[in-house]
Short mmCIF file of all heavy atoms in Angstrom, two decimals:
data_model
loop_
_atom_site.label_atom_id
_atom_site.label_comp_id
_atom_site.label_asym_id
_atom_site.label_seq_id
_atom_site.Cartn_x
_atom_site.Cartn_y
_atom_site.Cartn_z
N ASP Z 6 4.08 -4.60 72.11
CA ASP Z 6 4.77 -4.95 70.86
C ASP Z 6 4.21 -6.25 70.32
O ASP Z 6 4.28 -7.28 70.97
CB ASP Z 6 6.26 -5.11 71.16
CG ASP Z 6 7.00 -5.73 70.00
OD1 ASP Z 6 6.57 -5.53 68.84
OD2 ASP Z 6 8.01 -6.42 70.24
N MET Z 7 3.62 -6.17 69.14
CA MET Z 7 2.98 -7.36 68.61
C MET Z 7 3.79 -8.04 67.52
O MET Z 7 3.28 -8.76 66.68
CB MET Z 7 1.58 -7.05 68.10
CG MET Z 7 0.54 -7.38 69.14
SD MET Z 7 0.81 -9.07 69.77
CE MET Z 7 0.55 -8.81 71.50
N THR Z 8 5.09 -7.80 67.58
CA THR Z 8 5.97 -8.47 66.63
C THR Z 8 6.12 -9.93 67.05
O THR Z 8 6.24 -10.23 68.23
CB THR Z 8 7.34 -7.79 66.64
OG1 THR Z 8 7.16 -6.43 66.29
CG2 THR Z 8 8.27 -8.45 65.67
N ILE Z 9 6.11 -10.79 66.07
CA ILE Z 9 6.26 -12.21 66.35
C ILE Z 9 7.59 -12.69 65.80
O ILE Z 9 7.92 -12.43 64.65
CB ILE Z 9 5.08 -13.00 65.74
CG1 ILE Z 9 3.79 -12.60 66.48
CG2 ILE Z 9 5.31 -14.50 65.83
CD1 ILE Z 9 2.55 -13.27 65.97
N ARG Z 10 8.36 -13.35 66.64
CA ARG Z 10 9.72 -13.71 66.28
C ARG Z 10 9.83 -15.18 65.87
O ARG Z 10 9.31 -16.05 66.56
CB ARG Z 10 10.65 -13.48 67.48
CG ARG Z 10 11.38 -12.17 67.46
CD ARG Z 10 11.86 -11.79 68.85
NE ARG Z 10 10.82 -11.09 69.59
CZ ARG Z 10 10.55 -9.80 69.45
NH1 ARG Z 10 11.25 -9.05 68.62
NH2 ARG Z 10 9.58 -9.23 70.14
N SER Z 11 10.51 -15.42 64.77
CA SER Z 11 10.87 -16.80 64.43
C SER Z 11 12.38 -16.87 64.44
O SER Z 11 13.05 -15.90 64.78
CB SER Z 11 10.32 -17.17 63.05
OG SER Z 11 11.00 -16.46 62.05
N ALA Z 12 12.92 -18.02 64.06
CA ALA Z 12 14.36 -18.20 64.12
C ALA Z 12 15.12 -17.06 63.45
O ALA Z 12 16.02 -16.47 64.04
CB ALA Z 12 14.73 -19.53 63.47
N SER Z 13 14.70 -16.73 62.23
CA SER Z 13 15.54 -15.84 61.44
C SER Z 13 14.99 -14.43 61.30
O SER Z 13 15.70 -13.52 60.94
CB SER Z 13 15.72 -16.43 60.04
OG SER Z 13 14.47 -16.72 59.49
N GLN Z 14 13.70 -14.25 61.59
CA GLN Z 14 13.12 -12.96 61.27
C GLN Z 14 12.06 -12.55 62.28
O GLN Z 14 11.64 -13.35 63.10
CB GLN Z 14 12.44 -13.03 59.89
CG GLN Z 14 13.40 -13.27 58.76
CD GLN Z 14 12.66 -13.81 57.57
OE1 GLN Z 14 12.04 -14.86 57.65
NE2 GLN Z 14 12.72 -13.08 56.47
N THR Z 15 11.62 -11.32 62.17
CA THR Z 15 10.46 -10.89 62.94
C THR Z 15 9.38 -10.47 61.95
O THR Z 15 9.66 -9.98 60.87
CB THR Z 15 10.78 -9.70 63.85
OG1 THR Z 15 11.14 -8.59 63.03
CG2 THR Z 15 11.92 -10.03 64.78
N HIS Z 16 8.16 -10.71 62.33
CA HIS Z 16 7.04 -10.35 61.46
C HIS Z 16 5.93 -9.74 62.28
O HIS Z 16 5.71 -10.12 63.42
CB HIS Z 16 6.50 -11.59 60.74
CG HIS Z 16 7.47 -12.18 59.79
ND1 HIS Z 16 7.58 -11.73 58.50
CD2 HIS Z 16 8.38 -13.15 59.93
CE1 HIS Z 16 8.52 -12.42 57.88
NE2 HIS Z 16 9.02 -13.29 58.73
N GLU Z 17 5.21 -8.83 61.68
CA GLU Z 17 4.02 -8.28 62.31
C GLU Z 17 2.93 -9.33 62.35
O GLU Z 17 2.83 -10.17 61.46
CB GLU Z 17 3.52 -7.07 61.51
CG GLU Z 17 4.42 -5.85 61.62
CD GLU Z 17 4.62 -5.42 63.06
OE1 GLU Z 17 3.64 -5.38 63.81
OE2 GLU Z 17 5.78 -5.13 63.42
N ALA Z 18 2.11 -9.24 63.38
CA ALA Z 18 0.99 -10.17 63.49
C ALA Z 18 0.11 -10.10 62.25
O ALA Z 18 -0.43 -11.11 61.80
CB ALA Z 18 0.17 -9.88 64.74
N THR Z 19 0.00 -8.92 61.66
CA THR Z 19 -0.90 -8.79 60.50
C THR Z 19 -0.36 -9.56 59.29
O THR Z 19 -1.13 -10.12 58.52
CB THR Z 19 -1.13 -7.33 60.10
OG1 THR Z 19 -0.10 -6.91 59.23
CG2 THR Z 19 -1.17 -6.44 61.31
N ASP Z 20 0.96 -9.61 59.11
CA ASP Z 20 1.54 -10.38 58.01
C ASP Z 20 1.20 -11.86 58.17
O ASP Z 20 0.81 -12.53 57.23
CB ASP Z 20 3.06 -10.25 58.00
CG ASP Z 20 3.49 -8.84 57.68
OD1 ASP Z 20 2.68 -8.09 57.09
OD2 ASP Z 20 4.63 -8.48 58.04
N ILE Z 21 1.41 -12.33 59.38
CA ILE Z 21 1.19 -13.75 59.64
C ILE Z 21 -0.29 -14.08 59.54
O ILE Z 21 -0.68 -15.11 58.98
CB ILE Z 21 1.76 -14.13 61.02
CG1 ILE Z 21 3.28 -13.95 60.98
CG2 ILE Z 21 1.38 -15.55 61.40
CD1 ILE Z 21 4.00 -14.41 62.21
N THR Z 22 -1.12 -13.19 60.06
CA THR Z 22 -2.56 -13.38 59.92
C THR Z 22 -2.92 -13.54 58.46
O THR Z 22 -3.68 -14.43 58.07
CB THR Z 22 -3.34 -12.18 60.49
OG1 THR Z 22 -2.95 -11.98 61.84
CG2 THR Z 22 -4.84 -12.44 60.45
N ASN Z 23 -2.38 -12.68 57.64
CA ASN Z 23 -2.69 -12.73 56.22
C ASN Z 23 -2.28 -14.06 55.59
O ASN Z 23 -3.05 -14.67 54.86
CB ASN Z 23 -2.00 -11.58 55.49
CG ASN Z 23 -2.36 -11.55 54.03
OD1 ASN Z 23 -3.54 -11.44 53.69
ND2 ASN Z 23 -1.37 -11.71 53.17
N LEU Z 24 -1.06 -14.50 55.91
CA LEU Z 24 -0.62 -15.78 55.38
C LEU Z 24 -1.56 -16.91 55.81
O LEU Z 24 -1.96 -17.75 55.01
CB LEU Z 24 0.80 -16.11 55.84
CG LEU Z 24 1.24 -17.50 55.38
CD1 LEU Z 24 1.78 -17.44 53.97
CD2 LEU Z 24 2.20 -18.14 56.33
N LEU Z 25 -1.92 -16.90 57.09
CA LEU Z 25 -2.79 -17.97 57.59
C LEU Z 25 -4.16 -17.91 56.94
O LEU Z 25 -4.78 -18.94 56.66
CB LEU Z 25 -2.91 -17.88 59.11
CG LEU Z 25 -1.61 -18.19 59.87
CD1 LEU Z 25 -1.76 -17.94 61.36
CD2 LEU Z 25 -1.17 -19.64 59.62
N LYS Z 26 -4.64 -16.72 56.66
CA LYS Z 26 -5.92 -16.59 55.96
C LYS Z 26 -5.84 -17.23 54.58
O LYS Z 26 -6.78 -17.89 54.12
CB LYS Z 26 -6.30 -15.11 55.80
CG LYS Z 26 -7.04 -14.51 56.98
CD LYS Z 26 -7.57 -13.13 56.59
CE LYS Z 26 -7.53 -12.13 57.72
NZ LYS Z 26 -8.59 -12.26 58.70
N VAL Z 27 -4.71 -17.02 53.92
CA VAL Z 27 -4.53 -17.62 52.59
C VAL Z 27 -4.53 -19.14 52.69
O VAL Z 27 -5.12 -19.83 51.86
CB VAL Z 27 -3.22 -17.12 51.96
CG1 VAL Z 27 -2.92 -17.88 50.68
CG2 VAL Z 27 -3.30 -15.63 51.68
N LEU Z 28 -3.90 -19.66 53.72
CA LEU Z 28 -3.82 -21.12 53.87
C LEU Z 28 -5.11 -21.73 54.39
O LEU Z 28 -5.37 -22.92 54.18
CB LEU Z 28 -2.67 -21.47 54.83
CG LEU Z 28 -1.26 -21.10 54.36
CD1 LEU Z 28 -0.24 -21.50 55.40
CD2 LEU Z 28 -0.94 -21.75 53.02
N ALA Z 29 -5.94 -20.92 55.04
CA ALA Z 29 -7.12 -21.45 55.72
C ALA Z 29 -8.30 -21.66 54.78
O ALA Z 29 -9.40 -21.18 55.02
CB ALA Z 29 -7.51 -20.54 56.88
N ASP Z 30 -8.05 -22.33 53.70
CA ASP Z 30 -9.11 -22.65 52.75
C ASP Z 30 -8.88 -24.06 52.24
O ASP Z 30 -7.79 -24.40 51.78
CB ASP Z 30 -9.08 -21.64 51.59
CG ASP Z 30 -10.13 -21.97 50.55
OD1 ASP Z 30 -9.82 -22.79 49.65
OD2 ASP Z 30 -11.23 -21.42 50.62
N GLU Z 31 -9.92 -24.86 52.32
CA GLU Z 31 -9.77 -26.28 52.01
C GLU Z 31 -9.26 -26.49 50.58
O GLU Z 31 -8.37 -27.30 50.34
CB GLU Z 31 -11.09 -27.01 52.22
CG GLU Z 31 -10.93 -28.50 52.06
CD GLU Z 31 -12.12 -29.28 52.63
OE1 GLU Z 31 -13.06 -28.63 53.13
OE2 GLU Z 31 -12.08 -30.51 52.56
N ASN Z 32 -9.83 -25.77 49.64
CA ASN Z 32 -9.39 -25.95 48.26
C ASN Z 32 -7.94 -25.55 48.05
O ASN Z 32 -7.21 -26.20 47.32
CB ASN Z 32 -10.31 -25.18 47.30
CG ASN Z 32 -11.65 -25.88 47.14
OD1 ASN Z 32 -11.74 -27.09 47.29
ND2 ASN Z 32 -12.69 -25.10 46.84
N ARG Z 33 -7.53 -24.48 48.71
CA ARG Z 33 -6.13 -24.07 48.56
C ARG Z 33 -5.19 -25.08 49.22
O ARG Z 33 -4.12 -25.37 48.68
CB ARG Z 33 -5.93 -22.66 49.12
CG ARG Z 33 -6.53 -21.59 48.20
CD ARG Z 33 -6.00 -20.20 48.49
NE ARG Z 33 -6.52 -19.59 49.69
CZ ARG Z 33 -7.60 -18.80 49.74
NH1 ARG Z 33 -8.25 -18.53 48.63
NH2 ARG Z 33 -7.99 -18.27 50.87
N LEU Z 34 -5.60 -25.64 50.34
CA LEU Z 34 -4.76 -26.68 50.97
C LEU Z 34 -4.64 -27.89 50.05
O LEU Z 34 -3.57 -28.48 49.92
CB LEU Z 34 -5.34 -27.12 52.31
CG LEU Z 34 -5.12 -26.22 53.51
CD1 LEU Z 34 -5.38 -27.00 54.79
CD2 LEU Z 34 -3.72 -25.66 53.53
N LYS Z 35 -5.74 -28.24 49.39
CA LYS Z 35 -5.70 -29.37 48.46
C LYS Z 35 -4.75 -29.07 47.32
O LYS Z 35 -3.99 -29.94 46.87
CB LYS Z 35 -7.10 -29.67 47.93
CG LYS Z 35 -8.02 -30.31 48.95
CD LYS Z 35 -9.41 -30.54 48.35
CE LYS Z 35 -10.33 -31.23 49.35
NZ LYS Z 35 -11.72 -31.35 48.81
N ILE Z 36 -4.81 -27.85 46.83
CA ILE Z 36 -3.91 -27.46 45.75
C ILE Z 36 -2.46 -27.56 46.20
O ILE Z 36 -1.61 -28.11 45.51
CB ILE Z 36 -4.23 -26.02 45.27
CG1 ILE Z 36 -5.58 -26.00 44.54
CG2 ILE Z 36 -3.12 -25.48 44.38
CD1 ILE Z 36 -6.08 -24.60 44.20
N ILE Z 37 -2.18 -27.05 47.39
CA ILE Z 37 -0.82 -27.09 47.90
C ILE Z 37 -0.36 -28.54 48.07
O ILE Z 37 0.75 -28.90 47.68
CB ILE Z 37 -0.73 -26.33 49.25
CG1 ILE Z 37 -0.85 -24.83 48.99
CG2 ILE Z 37 0.57 -26.65 49.98
CD1 ILE Z 37 -1.02 -23.99 50.24
N SER Z 38 -1.25 -29.35 48.62
CA SER Z 38 -0.91 -30.76 48.80
C SER Z 38 -0.61 -31.42 47.46
O SER Z 38 0.34 -32.19 47.31
CB SER Z 38 -2.05 -31.45 49.51
OG SER Z 38 -1.88 -32.85 49.51
N CYS Z 39 -1.42 -31.07 46.47
CA CYS Z 39 -1.25 -31.65 45.14
C CYS Z 39 0.05 -31.18 44.50
O CYS Z 39 0.74 -31.94 43.82
CB CYS Z 39 -2.46 -31.26 44.28
SG CYS Z 39 -2.82 -32.37 42.93
N LEU Z 40 0.39 -29.92 44.74
CA LEU Z 40 1.62 -29.37 44.15
C LEU Z 40 2.88 -29.86 44.87
O LEU Z 40 3.98 -29.73 44.35
CB LEU Z 40 1.59 -27.84 44.18
CG LEU Z 40 0.59 -27.16 43.24
CD1 LEU Z 40 0.69 -25.65 43.36
CD2 LEU Z 40 0.82 -27.60 41.80
N SER Z 41 2.69 -30.43 46.05
CA SER Z 41 3.88 -30.85 46.80
C SER Z 41 4.61 -31.99 46.10
O SER Z 41 5.79 -32.21 46.32
CB SER Z 41 3.50 -31.25 48.23
OG SER Z 41 2.78 -32.46 48.21
N SER Z 42 3.90 -32.68 45.21
CA SER Z 42 4.56 -33.76 44.48
C SER Z 42 5.14 -33.28 43.16
O SER Z 42 5.63 -34.10 42.37
CB SER Z 42 3.57 -34.90 44.25
OG SER Z 42 2.48 -34.45 43.48
N GLY Z 43 5.05 -31.97 42.93
CA GLY Z 43 5.63 -31.45 41.70
C GLY Z 43 4.66 -30.54 40.95
O GLY Z 43 3.48 -30.49 41.27
N GLU Z 44 5.18 -29.82 39.98
CA GLU Z 44 4.38 -28.84 39.26
C GLU Z 44 3.20 -29.49 38.55
O GLU Z 44 3.28 -30.65 38.14
CB GLU Z 44 5.25 -28.08 38.26
CG GLU Z 44 5.81 -28.97 37.17
CD GLU Z 44 6.48 -28.20 36.04
OE1 GLU Z 44 6.85 -27.03 36.25
OE2 GLU Z 44 6.65 -28.78 34.95
N LYS Z 45 2.11 -28.72 38.46
CA LYS Z 45 0.92 -29.18 37.75
C LYS Z 45 0.33 -28.01 36.98
O LYS Z 45 0.45 -26.85 37.40
CB LYS Z 45 -0.15 -29.66 38.74
CG LYS Z 45 0.29 -30.75 39.71
CD LYS Z 45 0.09 -32.13 39.15
CE LYS Z 45 0.44 -33.19 40.20
NZ LYS Z 45 1.78 -33.01 40.83
N CYS Z 46 -0.34 -28.31 35.87
CA CYS Z 46 -1.05 -27.25 35.17
C CYS Z 46 -2.47 -27.16 35.73
O CYS Z 46 -2.90 -28.02 36.50
CB CYS Z 46 -1.07 -27.49 33.66
SG CYS Z 46 -2.03 -28.92 33.17
N VAL Z 47 -3.16 -26.11 35.35
CA VAL Z 47 -4.48 -25.85 35.92
C VAL Z 47 -5.44 -27.01 35.69
O VAL Z 47 -6.16 -27.43 36.59
CB VAL Z 47 -5.06 -24.54 35.34
CG1 VAL Z 47 -6.44 -24.28 35.91
CG2 VAL Z 47 -4.13 -23.38 35.65
N CYS Z 48 -5.42 -27.55 34.48
CA CYS Z 48 -6.40 -28.61 34.19
C CYS Z 48 -6.07 -29.88 34.94
O CYS Z 48 -6.98 -30.63 35.32
CB CYS Z 48 -6.52 -28.85 32.68
SG CYS Z 48 -5.01 -29.35 31.88
N GLN Z 49 -4.80 -30.14 35.20
CA GLN Z 49 -4.46 -31.30 36.02
C GLN Z 49 -5.01 -31.15 37.43
O GLN Z 49 -5.57 -32.08 38.00
CB GLN Z 49 -2.93 -31.47 36.08
CG GLN Z 49 -2.31 -32.06 34.84
CD GLN Z 49 -0.80 -32.14 34.94
OE1 GLN Z 49 -0.14 -31.14 35.23
NE2 GLN Z 49 -0.25 -33.32 34.70
N LEU Z 50 -4.86 -29.95 37.97
CA LEU Z 50 -5.38 -29.70 39.31
C LEU Z 50 -6.90 -29.83 39.33
O LEU Z 50 -7.48 -30.46 40.22
CB LEU Z 50 -4.96 -28.31 39.79
CG LEU Z 50 -3.47 -28.13 40.11
CD1 LEU Z 50 -3.12 -26.66 40.27
CD2 LEU Z 50 -3.10 -28.91 41.37
N ALA Z 51 -7.53 -29.23 38.32
CA ALA Z 51 -9.00 -29.27 38.26
C ALA Z 51 -9.50 -30.71 38.18
O ALA Z 51 -10.45 -31.09 38.85
CB ALA Z 51 -9.49 -28.45 37.07
N ASP Z 52 -8.82 -31.51 37.36
CA ASP Z 52 -9.19 -32.93 37.24
C ASP Z 52 -8.97 -33.66 38.55
O ASP Z 52 -9.86 -34.33 39.06
CB ASP Z 52 -8.32 -33.61 36.17
CG ASP Z 52 -8.95 -33.48 34.80
OD1 ASP Z 52 -9.98 -32.76 34.69
OD2 ASP Z 52 -8.42 -34.07 33.84
N ALA Z 53 -7.76 -33.55 39.08
CA ALA Z 53 -7.39 -34.34 40.25
C ALA Z 53 -8.26 -34.00 41.44
O ALA Z 53 -8.63 -34.86 42.23
CB ALA Z 53 -5.92 -34.12 40.59
N LEU Z 54 -8.60 -32.72 41.58
CA LEU Z 54 -9.31 -32.29 42.79
C LEU Z 54 -10.81 -32.18 42.57
O LEU Z 54 -11.55 -31.92 43.52
CB LEU Z 54 -8.74 -30.95 43.28
CG LEU Z 54 -7.23 -30.95 43.55
CD1 LEU Z 54 -6.75 -29.56 43.92
CD2 LEU Z 54 -6.91 -31.94 44.68
N ASP Z 55 -11.24 -32.36 41.32
CA ASP Z 55 -12.66 -32.27 41.01
C ASP Z 55 -13.23 -30.91 41.42
O ASP Z 55 -14.24 -30.81 42.12
CB ASP Z 55 -13.43 -33.40 41.70
CG ASP Z 55 -14.82 -33.58 41.10
OD1 ASP Z 55 -14.97 -33.30 39.90
OD2 ASP Z 55 -15.74 -33.98 41.85
N ILE Z 56 -12.54 -29.89 40.98
CA ILE Z 56 -12.93 -28.51 41.28
C ILE Z 56 -12.96 -27.77 39.95
O ILE Z 56 -12.08 -27.98 39.11
CB ILE Z 56 -11.89 -27.85 42.22
CG1 ILE Z 56 -11.88 -28.54 43.59
CG2 ILE Z 56 -12.15 -26.35 42.38
CD1 ILE Z 56 -10.73 -28.11 44.49
N PRO Z 57 -14.00 -26.94 39.72
CA PRO Z 57 -14.11 -26.24 38.43
C PRO Z 57 -12.86 -25.44 38.09
O PRO Z 57 -12.21 -24.88 38.98
CB PRO Z 57 -15.30 -25.31 38.64
CG PRO Z 57 -16.03 -25.80 39.83
CD PRO Z 57 -15.12 -26.66 40.62
N GLN Z 58 -12.57 -25.35 36.81
CA GLN Z 58 -11.35 -24.70 36.35
C GLN Z 58 -11.24 -23.26 36.81
O GLN Z 58 -10.18 -22.81 37.25
CB GLN Z 58 -11.29 -24.78 34.81
CG GLN Z 58 -10.14 -24.01 34.19
CD GLN Z 58 -10.54 -22.58 33.84
OE1 GLN Z 58 -11.65 -22.34 33.37
NE2 GLN Z 58 -9.65 -21.63 34.09
#
Side-chain angles (χ1 to χ4, degrees):
Chain Z
D6 168 30
M7 263 310 137
T8 301
I9 294 179
R10 263 160 274 278
S11 69
S13 53
Q14 295 160 300
T15 63
H16 294 274
E17 289 303 316
T19 86
D20 294 339
I21 295 186
T22 305
N23 183 59
L24 176 84
L25 293 174
K26 274 190 216 282
V27 172
L28 295 180
D30 178 274
E31 187 164 1
N32 285 333
R33 287 198 286 268
L34 282 197
K35 287 178 178 175
I36 290 172
I37 288 170
S38 170
C39 205
L40 290 181
S41 70
S42 61
E44 64 170 19
K45 304 272 184 309
C46 67
V47 179
C48 59
Q49 283 177 307
L50 290 167
D52 272 6
L54 304 175
D55 196 30
I56 295 170
Q58 174 269 320

